[in-house]
Amino acid sequence: MKTCLVVDDSKVIRKVARHILETLDFEVAEAGDGRDALTHCEATPPDVVLLDWNMPVMSGMEFLKALSATDLPKRPKVVFCTTENGIGHIKAAIEAGADEYVMKPFDRDTIASKLQIVGLA
Amino acid sequence: MTIDKTALRHLAGLLEQRTGQQIGPNRLWRVETVLKSLMRERGIANLDALVAAIGAAHDMTLATDVVEALLNNETFFFRDAQAFELVRNGALEALRQARASSRRISIWCAGCSTGQEAYSLAMIFADARAKWDGWSIDITATDVSEAAIAKARGGYYSQFEIQRGLPVSSMLKWFDQVGHDWRVKRDLARYLRFRRHNVLMAQTGSFDLILCRNVLLYFSPERRREAFDRLAASLAPDGYLMLGAGETVIGQTEAFASSPELRGLYRKTAALRVKAA
Ligand SMILES: [Mg+2]
């Protein structure tokens, strides 16, 4: 079973994402901030991370940079999920190593298509 | 929920009369939902009152708006990734050889809705510009919905529309951000011509590849047969037809048969017979 880590400080968003991912046959784990997410990735690296931008403790961007610095044998795919769609934001996310970008609120078709694009469907 | 069957039947009849499309039993329950904002704008209380208003109207504006609202324009970029792979690596490779001397390929995207499929198709060529250098590529994209064609031609998509199926790299490459929306770049739009057209009507021109995906399923068997005949008349003898993922020609028409070389694509039966003889 493919695995996905949902990283978001909003419990509601995590719940919605979990539901969508489970219907897509993913095993889902959750983290409430970038630090938690990094710990999780180092212990049990998922196939893909759905990543919020704004979070306390460690933001999505900081997490992405820290993730790139780890020596995981296989870096998880990262889909940034944010409330911003400014082109500057999008480019910054891609440059920092995100594989895909989604603006919230997302639906099942969008998530399914992005997972397929990063090679996980 | 109580559904007024008489009003529903009337509205379904109006749609079929105007477009040939039927409303499947699994979508009947959605009729009231899709007409809700139209009825609210005009102060029409329910479906009964809507049918009465259409009957009493002096022009066709209301009927046209109702028909437009009832059409299902659901689509997204690169919908069904395997289908696009089959176009890229199957149909277009075959046509590249077959048209090596004329270096001209024309494609018809029949039932293009708001344009996402047609633009996806154009990206196949635009992303491989060197490969198709010196070729003349024309994509004609049509839909029965005036509103859908207007949107497709405008080439503006919201973030929510554009992120359904389109890789972020392609979004940045082929679209400009305008406010919060995205507008297709000229370099991509130049492959395409959008036109309002019903697939049941005669089409001018001869195409090398026709995509008619998730369109014919809305027709009655008789109308579907007619549509297949129209498509066959518009397809080059060695051309290919692609249908939606769940659609087939088997038991629907004698005009097409499965392509023996490219699974998932259809060829004109007449052409296959000549080849076999
Ligand atoms: Mg947040």
Side-chain angles (χ1 to χ4, degrees):
Chain A
M1 208 176 196
K2 283 166 208 148
T3 53
C4 180
L5 176 65
V6 177
V7 188
D8 202 302
D9 57 329
S10 156
K11 208 174 163 183
V12 176
I13 300 273
R14 293 204 304 267
K15 197 175 162 190
V16 171
R18 170 185 282 279
H19 178 72
I20 290 174
L21 287 156
E22 284 176 350
T23 69
L24 294 168
D25 289 330
F26 275 78
E27 194 180 311
V28 181
E30 298 178 23
D33 63 60
R35 173 81 60 210
D36 268 4
L38 196 61
T39 310
H40 182 99
C41 284
E42 282 168 335
T44 43
D47 295 309
V48 59
V49 178
L50 287 198
L51 183 63
D52 183 25
W53 188 291
N54 289 313
M55 289 177 292
V57 188
M58 184 189 265
S59 74
M61 277 303 253
E62 288 162 344
F63 163 82
L64 204 46
K65 281 168 192 161
L67 184 70
S68 303
T70 60
D71 49 6
L72 291 176
K74 189 164 164 264
R75 209 207 68 160
K77 299 286 180 186
V78 176
V79 178
F80 238 125
C81 300
T82 94
T83 50
E84 284 276 340
N85 88 326
I87 196 158
H89 257 81
I90 298 173
K91 283 184 170 163
I94 300 302
E95 270 160 33
D99 299 280
E100 268 301 332
Y101 194 98
V102 165
M103 190 163 96
K104 289 189 267 197
F106 42 70
D107 61 8
R108 188 178 183 274
D109 283 342
T110 303
I111 294 298
S113 72
K114 292 298 182 185
L115 291 169
Q116 186 162 50
I117 289 166
V118 301
L120 286 172
Chain B
M1 188 172 79
T2 58
I3 296 181
D4 187 325
K5 289 275 167 54
T6 315
L8 278 180
R9 258 202 304 275
H10 188 97
L11 294 168
L14 176 69
L15 178 69
E16 183 162 16
Q17 184 198 334
R18 290 286 205 93
T19 68
Q21 296 193 17
Q22 297 184 322
I23 304 176
N26 54 336
R27 293 208 315 136
L28 263 183
W29 64 274
R30 287 200 62 223
V31 166
E32 193 157 11
T33 314
V34 300
L35 293 173
K36 199 152 252 165
S37 71
L38 180 150
M39 292 197 290
R40 196 185 313 113
E41 278 165 26
R42 289 170 178 74
I44 296 169
N46 53 42
L47 292 181
D48 264 347
L50 178 64
V51 169
I54 293 170
H58 294 292
D59 61 28
M60 298 303 265
T61 324
L62 180 59
T64 302
D65 289 351
V66 167
V67 167
E68 284 282 342
L70 289 174
L71 291 169
N72 180 7
N73 287 328
E74 165 92 5
T75 182
F76 48 100
F77 287 94
F78 293 103
R79 181 181 205 168
D80 186 6
Q82 284 169 342
F84 280 90
E85 280 314 298
L86 185 57
V87 168
R88 191 197 320 262
N89 302 325
L92 293 181
E93 284 309 312
L95 288 170
R96 210 177 141 79
Q97 288 180 24
R99 301 288 179 271
S101 58
S102 70
R103 295 195 150 216
R104 187 177 284 276
I105 293 178
S106 58
I107 301 175
W108 178 18
C109 193
C112 68
S113 185
T114 42
Q116 284 89 327
E117 180 176 281
Y119 285 117
S120 304
L121 208 49
M123 277 179 237
I124 293 181
F125 294 100
D127 280 330
R129 216 167 150 176
K131 179 176 181 173
W132 295 101
D133 190 34
W135 285 73
S136 155
I137 309 293
D138 276 302
I139 304 170
T140 299
T142 63
D143 199 273
V144 68
S145 164
E146 190 77 62
I149 281 297
K151 180 170 170 77
R153 203 178 273 143
Y156 273 89
Y157 297 98
S158 72
Q159 180 67 38
F160 296 107
E161 291 167 329
I162 206 160
Q163 71 190 13
R164 294 180 91 200
L166 190 64
V168 68
S169 55
S170 303
M171 180 182 84
L172 294 172
K173 189 171 174 190
W174 297 118
F175 292 81
D176 290 315
Q177 192 166 43
V178 180
H180 287 289
D181 293 343
W182 298 84
R183 185 184 56 205
V184 67
K185 289 185 183 177
R186 270 223 52 77
D187 273 356
L188 189 66
R190 69 189 177 89
Y191 290 95
L192 295 151
R193 230 170 323 171
F194 288 102
R195 204 153 50 76
R196 181 167 181 245
H197 175 265
N198 187 337
V199 78
L200 290 167
M201 303 295 159
Q203 165 73 298
T204 51
S206 167
F207 299 92
D208 304 305
L209 170 65
I210 300 176
L211 277 80
C212 186
R213 304 178 64 224
N214 311 308
V215 175
L216 303 182
L217 73 165
Y218 295 113
F219 293 147
S220 68
E222 305 80 61
R223 289 282 174 81
R224 198 176 299 144
R225 195 172 293 273
E226 279 174 50
F228 274 120
D229 289 342
R230 294 287 188 196
L231 294 174
S234 303
L235 187 64
D238 58 348
Y240 295 95
L241 169 70
M242 174 176 268
L243 300 172
E247 298 177 295
T248 179
V249 303
I250 298 162
Q252 318 277 325
T253 176
E254 280 73 53
F256 289 96
S258 293
S259 160
E261 316 88 32
L262 296 169
R263 259 183 78 90
L265 292 171
Y266 300 97
R267 300 277 310 273
K268 287 211 268 191
T269 313
L272 290 173
R273 271 201 215 104
V274 171
K275 221 178 143 187

